Amino acid sequence: MRIIKVKNYEEMSKKAAEIVAAQVILKPECVLGLATGSTPIGMYDRLVERYEQEGLDFSEVRTVNLDEYVGLSGENDQSYRFFMNQHLFHRVNIAMDHTMVPDGLAADAEKACTEYEEKMDALGGVDLQVLGLGPNGHIGFNEPGDHFEKSTHRVDLTDSTIQANKRFFASEDDVPKQAYTMGIGSIMKARKIIVLVSGAGKADALAKMLHGKITPKVPATILQLHSDVTVIADEDAFSAV
Ligand code: GLP
């Protein structure tokens, strides 16, 4: 793993945006794997700036997102489709039909998951996957468990994730209890991965991801086995390493 230690959230966002922008410049028709949550918001803002000020061109870029809440439509302002439209897609020159987020309202969950994997494969795989890190070590919505899930699947969210994410909802009861997520296998297939980590709340998860035993109980530990991972983390996140 390549580790980039930065001072704070702003520096993390800038560094991450530089790596994504370099990918887009080097391969304009690249496939980006994208993440939601509070962590990548600053990175998206910097990418929008580069689009506005330098003409960073997203017209040929394809994107696939990691996850989506079960039961939320793309119009729901808590859905990850809404998030992506708001923070990136509607602010740059990407074609909406080049963007993919799992459908939270899919009638047939199994079929939807299989099709998501097939569509990723048809795109030729992900060139650069952006990841955040859950406080319990989850990536996407791959929660701690007794085995690594291979491909896109529907998952029951753990209580700790529901607690961590309730800040975005009016009340805890409004937090969906299930999500669709790319599997660990889908994430590991990406040619390059960057992991963004900020804040003391992630310190324990970061320490385990970097130096802990590889175990599905801390899903991010699997990243130790990927050949091209760059971790960009700030000083607070490094407080337990
Ligand atoms: C959410 C998302 C993850 C994200 C993580 C951290 O549950 N499914 O993709 O990385 O939690 O979120 P945040 O960046 O808000 O701390």
Side-chain angles (χ1 to χ4, degrees):
M1 283 190 185
R2 204 171 302 123
I3 297 170
I4 303 178
K5 189 171 177 179
V6 293
K7 213 174 174 40
N8 52 30
Y9 181 83
E10 283 66 40
E11 274 191 28
M12 178 199 73
S13 305
K14 189 167 163 238
K15 218 3 130 205
E18 277 167 13
I19 294 172
V20 175
Q23 174 67 72
V24 171
I25 292 165
L26 283 171
K27 186 178 175 189
E29 73 288 9
C30 66
V31 179
L32 299 178
L34 297 178
T36 53
S38 50
T39 308
I41 291 177
M43 178 194 77
Y44 292 134
D45 287 343
R46 305 302 297 235
L47 286 170
V48 170
E49 257 170 48
R50 297 197 54 162
Y51 162 71
E52 286 170 348
Q53 293 168 14
E54 300 161 25
L56 182 65
D57 184 11
F58 290 84
S59 61
E60 293 178 62
V61 170
R62 304 283 203 279
T63 67
V64 293
N65 259 79
L66 281 169
D67 46 15
E68 179 60 284
Y69 288 113
V70 168
L72 299 192
S73 82
E75 278 82 53
N76 186 308
D77 61 6
Q78 297 302 336
S79 72
Y80 285 168
R81 160 55 77 182
F82 192 95
F83 174 104
M84 288 309 304
N85 289 349
Q86 183 187 31
H87 289 288
L88 186 68
F89 300 155
H90 286 170
R91 300 166 72 199
V92 297
N93 65 334
I94 197 163
M96 287 305 282
D97 63 353
H98 286 184
T99 70
M100 246 169 64
V101 181
D103 176 5
L105 297 182
D108 182 337
E110 215 167 297
K111 184 161 167 261
C113 291
T114 310
E115 285 175 359
Y116 203 70
E117 286 290 322
E118 286 169 355
K119 283 184 197 157
M120 276 194 283
D121 287 345
L123 288 174
V126 171
D127 291 296
L128 173 63
Q129 176 68 54
V130 178
L131 293 178
L133 180 64
N136 63 1
H138 73 236
I139 47 177
F141 267 132
N142 289 277
E143 295 281 37
D146 53 15
H147 65 286
F148 292 111
E149 287 278 354
K150 202 164 159 261
S151 54
T152 301
H153 59 287
R154 187 163 60 170
V155 64
D156 292 328
L157 300 180
T158 61
D159 190 49
S160 87
T161 295
I162 291 169
Q163 294 303 324
N165 288 359
K166 73 178 182 196
R167 63 189 193 250
F168 299 113
F169 292 82
S171 77
E172 186 179 327
D173 286 346
D174 291 335
V175 187
K177 306 292 178 280
Q178 290 190 320
Y180 291 111
T181 181
M182 279 187 202
I184 291 293
S186 348
I187 293 170
M188 291 293 278
K189 274 199 276 183
R191 289 185 264 282
K192 268 183 261 169
I193 296 177
I194 58 173
V195 193
L196 279 54
V197 196
S198 173
K202 303 288 177 68
D204 184 49
L206 176 64
K208 287 182 175 147
M209 179 181 93
L210 295 177
H211 304 299
K213 176 175 161 243
I214 298 168
T215 167
K217 293 189 170 54
V218 187
T221 56
I222 194 81
L223 297 172
Q224 293 173 23
L225 298 180
H226 192 281
S227 61
D228 193 346
V229 175
T230 301
V231 179
I232 311 166
D234 66 12
E235 285 175 2
D236 288 345
F238 266 105
S239 55
V241 178

